[in-house]
C-alpha cells in the first residue's frame, strides 16, 4: 500500500515569513495530491490540490509543487498570517486516500 | 447548502459497550469515507463506500469495527465491545466523484468524539 511521509511535524514561523511543508509518497499509482487545513477543533478543509500531470499550482499565497519522478510534493505558504495557524495534511490518492501525519503550523504575530 | 453531518457529536461509553456512529453525506455524493483521528494524530483511513458497496475495508482496525451504508445516503459505523484505545474523533467525509476520479475533493463532517471509559 501507499506510505505518505510528511515533514516537519511542527513548524513555527514569524508573521510575514514563508512556510514549507514536504511530503513523500511511495505508490506510483497515486495521481492526485490534495492538501487539507484543519483548524483547532474544526473539520479538515481542502485548500489546494494538484494532479500528477501538473508540476506546480498556485492560488494567491499558497502554492503546491509536485516532483513525480522523486515522488515528493510540497506546500508553500508565503507572507504567512496568524490565521494560517493550523494543522496541514497532505494526501496521495490512487486507489485510496492516504493522508500524511500532519504538520502543526504556528504563525507568530 | 447542507454539509456533511454526523451524530452524535460526543459519545461517552463504558468499556465493552457497543456504539453506533452516524454520517449523513452531502446529497448526491456517491463516495463516503470514514476516518479515525486520535488526539494530536493524523487521519487514519477506515473504510470507503462507493454507493452502497465497500470496495475497501482494509483500514478497519479489527473485526469489532463494521460499517454499512444504505440508499447511497446515510452510513453507520459500529464499534462492538469498545476498548479504551477506540477513544478518538471519528470523521466522515463524502465526495461527488468516485475515489478513482482524477479530482476528488472530500467534504468532512464535524466528527464524533468517542470516549471509552
Amino acid at each position: 500500500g501507499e506510505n505518505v511521509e510528511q515533514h516537519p511535524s511542527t513548524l513555527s514561523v514569524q508573521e510575514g515569513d514563508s512556510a514549507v511543508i514536504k511530503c513523500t509518497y511511495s505508490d506510483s499509482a497515486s495521481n492526485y495530491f490534495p492538501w487539507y487545513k484543519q483548524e483547532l477543533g474544526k473539520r479538515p478543509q481542502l485548500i489546494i490540490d494538484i494532479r500528477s500531470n501538473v508540476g506546480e499550482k498556485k492560488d494567491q499565497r499558497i502554492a503546491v509543487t509536485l516532483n513525480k519522478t522523486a515522488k515528493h510534493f510540497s506546500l508553500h505558504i508565503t507572507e504567512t498570517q496568524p490565521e494560517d495557524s493550523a494543522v496541514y495534511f497532505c494526501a496521495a490518492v490512487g486507489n485510496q486516500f492516504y493522508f500524511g501525519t500532519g504538520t502543526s503550523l504556528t504563525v507568530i504575530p | 447548502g447542507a454539509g456533511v453531518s454526523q451524530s452524535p457529536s460526543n459519545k461517552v461509553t463504558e468499556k465493552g459497550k457497543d456504539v453506533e456512529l452516524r454520517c449523513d453525506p452531502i446529497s448526491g455524493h456517491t463516495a463516503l469515507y470514514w476516518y479515525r483521528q486520535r488526539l494530536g494524530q493524523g487521519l487514519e483511513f477506515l473504510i470507503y463506500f462507493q454507493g452502497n458497496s465497500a470496495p475497501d475495508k482494509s483500514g478497519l482496525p479489527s473485526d469489532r469495527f463494521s460499517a454499512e451504508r444504505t440508499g447511497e445516503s446515510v452510513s453507520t459505523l459500529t464499534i462492538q465491545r469498545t476498548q479504551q484505545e477506540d477513544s478518538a474523533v471519528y470523521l466522515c467525509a463524502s465526495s461527488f466523484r468516485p475515489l478513482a476520479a482524477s479530482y476528488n475533493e472530500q467534504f468532512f463532517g464535524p466528527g464524533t468524539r468517542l470516549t471509552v471509559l
Side-chain angles (χ1 to χ4, degrees), chain B:
Chain B
V4 178
S5 62
Q6 291 185 246
S7 61
S9 56
N10 280 284
K11 177 70 177 179
V12 180
T13 190
E14 292 180 348
K15 178 181 173 181
K17 301 276 189 179
D18 297 352
V19 295
E20 192 172 276
L21 312 180
R22 177 187 169 110
C23 172
D24 284 87
I26 293 172
S27 178
H29 280 197
T30 61
L32 186 146
Y33 313 79
W34 282 99
Y35 297 91
R36 179 169 69 179
Q37 187 174 33
R38 291 198 168 103
L39 186 63
Q41 303 295 310
L43 297 166
E44 179 185 359
F45 170 83
L46 297 179
I47 190 169
Y48 155 65
F49 285 93
Q50 182 54 45
N52 296 337
S53 66
D56 192 340
K57 302 179 182 179
S58 62
L60 292 176
S62 74
D63 58 8
R64 296 186 296 104
F65 287 72
S66 63
E68 63 176 27
R69 188 181 185 194
T70 55
E72 288 202 355
S73 181
V74 173
S75 176
T76 54
L77 176 69
T78 302
I79 309 173
Q80 296 178 307
R81 306 181 302 281
T82 52
Q83 304 293 314
Q84 288 183 332
E85 62 262 28
D86 298 335
S87 295
V89 174
Y90 289 82
L91 286 162
C92 172
S94 70
S95 65
F96 178 69
R97 291 169 176 258
L99 179 60
S102 59
Y103 170 71
N104 194 354
E105 178 177 0
Q106 292 192 15
F107 295 84
F108 283 83
T112 293
R113 182 176 298 279
L114 175 65
T115 303
V116 182
L117 301 176

Side-chain angles (χ1 to χ4, degrees), chain A residues 5-65:
Chain A
E5 294 190 359
Q6 183 171 348
H7 300 281
S9 56
T10 60
L11 178 61
S12 292
V13 299
Q14 290 291 136
E15 181 177 358
D17 288 350
S18 295
V20 180
I21 303 170
K22 298 182 179 181
C23 288
T24 60
Y25 64 100
S26 59
D27 189 351
S28 299
S30 293
N31 57 13
Y32 171 59
F33 307 91
W35 287 86
Y36 284 79
K37 175 183 179 182
Q38 186 176 29
E39 296 178 19
L40 188 63
K42 297 189 176 179
R43 68 193 79 182
Q45 291 190 306
L46 179 73
I47 54 170
I48 195 168
D49 56 20
I50 192 167
R51 305 182 198 185
S52 60
N53 58 347
V54 175
E56 184 174 356
K57 183 177 178 181
K58 189 173 182 180
D59 182 5
Q60 298 183 336
R61 296 187 297 107
I62 59 174
V64 58
T65 59

